[in-house]
Amino acid sequence: MSIADTGRTIDAIWRIESPKLIAGLTRMVRDVGLAEDLAQDALVIALERWPVSGIPGNPGAWLMTTAKRRAIDLLRRNKLRDRKYEELTRSAELYTEEDMDRHLDGEIGDDLLRLIFMTCHPVLSQEARVALTLRLLCGLTTEEIARAFLAAEATIAQRIVRAKRTLSAKKVPFEVPAGEELNERLATVLEVIYLMFNEGYSATAGEHWVRPLLCQEALRLGRMLAEIAPAEPEVHGLAALMEIQSSRLRTRVGMDGEPILLMDQNRARWDQLLIRRGLAYP
């Protein structure tokens, strides 16, 4: 694989893995800004090593292991030898890629949902929540977000930095809230999940019209939210909409990469299971 091909592959891997990576790291260090910095450090190391050593079989696990080790180094340098340090050290004991993959599969969905509730806290403005979502969960660059907002890149960068600082300063918990606090944030969380789905269904950045993995992630989070808030009709409505929309993903783009209009799609290839799931929501 050429250096250019490797670079494009790493970029694609980063777009897929970065939300999960940041969510997992936020759970550990309880600071979304620090988590993103650690994830970026792991990406830089990958950009240095993978063109020489080759891309590992499980790049997501490799990035997570590298970022966790960077977190341990940071804690050691700052002499934070408390319980969090001990827990983090124990959790980073030389995993194999297979072990790490199993570990992440068991927790990462919850982590992403916690991250969404964290970034949807009312201490942030609506604009800040959207920008932070596009950055952390959809993997868009600051330049791409600025283009979507029709704003200056420096303005968006400052907005994202201020949002992360606010979350840290206010010590916003990394959790899915309950009771009235859950109800207060639910509408914004639904907007964020739908924003994720839309970015996957009709991508505003990158080389491809559709990002199916981002759609699948949003759909999985919608299903989880339906279990957490079973009495909320808007939650079920969003989940049903995403199920039905996802049923057409395989037919939205042709072999040449060009989009296919709805009337020209092969309906026999629509996923009937997803359609039935969508129609079954109360």
Side-chain angles (χ1 to χ4, degrees):
M1 184 181 294
S2 69
I3 294 178
D5 289 339
T6 301
R8 284 193 292 269
T9 301
I10 294 174
D11 180 66
I13 290 170
W14 177 250
R15 284 185 180 272
I16 294 170
E17 298 293 341
S18 60
K20 295 179 285 186
L21 189 62
I22 294 169
L25 291 167
T26 302
R27 169 170 49 85
M28 298 170 200
V29 300
R30 303 292 169 173
D31 185 319
V32 69
L34 178 57
E36 188 179 17
D37 289 343
L38 292 168
Q40 290 285 348
D41 287 346
L43 174 63
V44 170
I45 295 173
L47 288 169
E48 293 173 348
R49 296 185 183 178
W50 290 0
V52 177
S53 63
I55 296 174
N58 190 329
W62 190 100
L63 289 168
M64 178 61 84
T65 301
T66 301
K68 289 179 72 173
R69 288 171 178 163
R70 296 284 292 183
I72 291 170
D73 290 342
L74 177 65
L75 291 172
R76 184 179 291 120
R77 288 196 302 270
N78 293 337
K79 299 180 180 180
L80 299 178
R81 304 179 186 279
D82 55 8
R83 179 176 58 84
K84 181 181 291 186
Y85 171 80
E86 295 174 0
E87 291 177 356
L88 187 57
T89 302
R90 285 198 301 269
S91 70
E93 294 292 341
L94 294 178
Y95 283 104
T96 64
E97 288 187 358
E98 291 77 13
D99 290 338
M100 182 63 75
D101 197 35
R102 286 194 296 270
H103 177 71
L104 293 178
D105 283 346
E107 297 180 343
I108 200 65
D110 288 341
D111 281 346
L112 281 170
L113 196 57
R114 291 187 190 107
L115 182 60
I116 290 175
F117 272 99
M118 183 181 191
T119 58
C120 287
H121 197 279
V123 297
L124 299 180
S125 67
Q126 176 68 16
E127 293 82 4
R129 296 173 202 167
V130 173
L132 201 56
T133 297
L134 291 171
R135 174 69 176 169
L136 300 182
L137 299 173
C138 299
L140 270 63
T141 65
T142 305
E143 180 183 1
E144 291 167 343
I145 298 170
R147 193 161 59 242
F149 272 96
L150 300 178
E153 184 175 350
T155 300
I156 297 300
Q158 291 173 3
R159 186 177 296 171
I160 292 172
V161 168
R162 285 197 299 267
K164 289 187 288 188
R165 286 177 179 169
T166 299
L167 291 175
S168 178
K170 297 294 185 179
K171 299 187 183 326
V172 174
F174 183 69
E175 64 182 12
V176 175
E180 188 60 32
E181 192 175 356
L182 172 65
N183 294 331
E184 289 175 355
R185 272 189 260 176
L186 194 56
T188 304
V189 170
L190 291 174
E191 291 177 10
V192 165
I193 292 176
Y194 191 48
L195 182 65
M196 286 180 63
F197 184 85
N198 274 343
E199 179 58 30
Y201 195 77
S202 183
T204 59
E207 299 178 356
H208 304 288
W209 287 93
V210 178
R211 297 172 60 188
L213 292 179
L214 194 57
C215 287
Q216 292 171 13
E217 198 65 64
L219 178 56
R220 185 168 76 238
L221 292 171
R223 290 169 177 169
M224 292 173 59
L225 201 56
E227 294 178 2
I228 294 171
E232 295 294 333
E234 289 189 5
V235 175
H236 292 287
L238 176 61
L241 176 63
M242 292 191 296
E243 298 275 9
I244 293 173
Q245 292 287 78
S246 295
S247 71
R248 299 195 290 266
L249 281 174
R250 290 181 297 184
T251 63
R252 293 197 68 238
V253 178
M255 295 295 292
D256 57 358
E258 291 298 315
I260 301 176
L261 297 177
L262 178 62
M263 297 302 296
D264 298 326
Q265 292 174 13
N266 181 357
R267 301 193 177 198
R269 296 186 60 220
W270 288 0
D271 192 317
Q272 297 301 313
L273 175 60
L274 292 178
I275 293 174
R276 288 196 296 271
R277 287 181 66 114
L279 294 176
Y281 275 95

